[in-house]
Amino acid sequence: RRELENYTHKELGHNPSCGDEITLMLRIKDQTIEDASYIGQGCAISQASTSIMVDTIKGLEKEETIKLANDFIEMIKGKELTEDEKDELGDAIAFESIKNLPARVKCAVLPWYTIKNILEEGKSQGSFTVHQV
């Protein structure tokens, strides 16, 4: 949790239903996430999910990161993941039971939708709001 110097991408993620807000910063070189960080405020779930995601994606290729984000989001929606998919998520698998707490789902997926928005849209700076899951 820090400001990232020399970032190439920066995105604001916001959850209007509870006020969670993160600013995700990435340094991407040759399709690889060299470094990532975030600043923001919100509930423990959104902050922990963001922290774990940032640690997980460092050093990964963009496409691999998008797949992880999709797997995480699908897991939270209730999809049963394979053992390999669970292993790839690493510590983020700890959020699997959030699917049983509908009011907290948006908190957990906020950073994952934000990273998808950056990588799929190719934006270098912008903002994103989670409206539905």
Side-chain angles (χ1 to χ4, degrees), residues 98-129:
I98 293 291
K99 64 186 171 196
N100 300 320
L101 303 167
R104 305 317 299 245
V105 165
K106 289 181 184 179
C107 305
V109 298
L110 176 63
W112 299 89
Y113 273 116
T114 305
I115 190 77
K116 276 177 50 90
N117 198 50
I118 292 173
L119 299 177
E120 291 179 342
E121 302 296 324
K123 291 182 176 181
S124 60
Q125 291 196 26
S127 63
F128 175 72
T129 301

Side-chain angles (χ1 to χ4, degrees), residues 14-125:
H14 178 69
N15 179 351
S17 66
C18 68
D20 291 341
E21 187 173 285
I22 61 158
T23 299
L24 187 60
M25 291 160 274
L26 306 174
R27 186 168 43 247
I28 299 175
K29 183 177 180 186
D30 299 327
Q31 303 298 310
T32 300
I33 300 171
E34 283 189 334
D35 201 1
S37 70
Y38 76 99
I39 56 172
Q41 58 191 19
C43 70
I45 292 172
S46 72
Q47 297 298 292
S49 183
T50 306
S51 179
I52 288 172
M53 184 199 72
V54 163
D55 287 344
T56 303
I57 65 170
K58 287 180 187 177
L60 297 182
E61 298 281 325
K62 286 170 63 172
E63 291 303 317
E64 186 177 7
T65 303
I66 291 169
K67 182 191 178 315
L68 282 179
N70 287 331
D71 287 347
F72 183 89
I73 292 163
E74 290 299 313
M75 174 185 73
I76 298 299
K77 288 181 175 180
K79 177 187 173 200
E80 194 61 39
L81 299 181
T82 67
E83 288 303 315
D84 286 341
E85 289 168 332
K86 288 180 180 181
D87 288 345
E88 289 170 359
L89 282 174
D91 290 341
I93 196 68
F95 291 93
E96 187 174 20
S97 64
I98 293 291
K99 64 186 171 196
N100 300 320
L101 303 167
R104 305 317 299 245
V105 165
K106 289 181 184 179
C107 305
V109 298
L110 176 63
W112 299 89
Y113 273 116
T114 305
I115 190 77
K116 276 177 50 90
N117 198 50
I118 292 173
L119 299 177
E120 291 179 342
E121 302 296 324
K123 291 182 176 181
S124 60
Q125 291 196 26

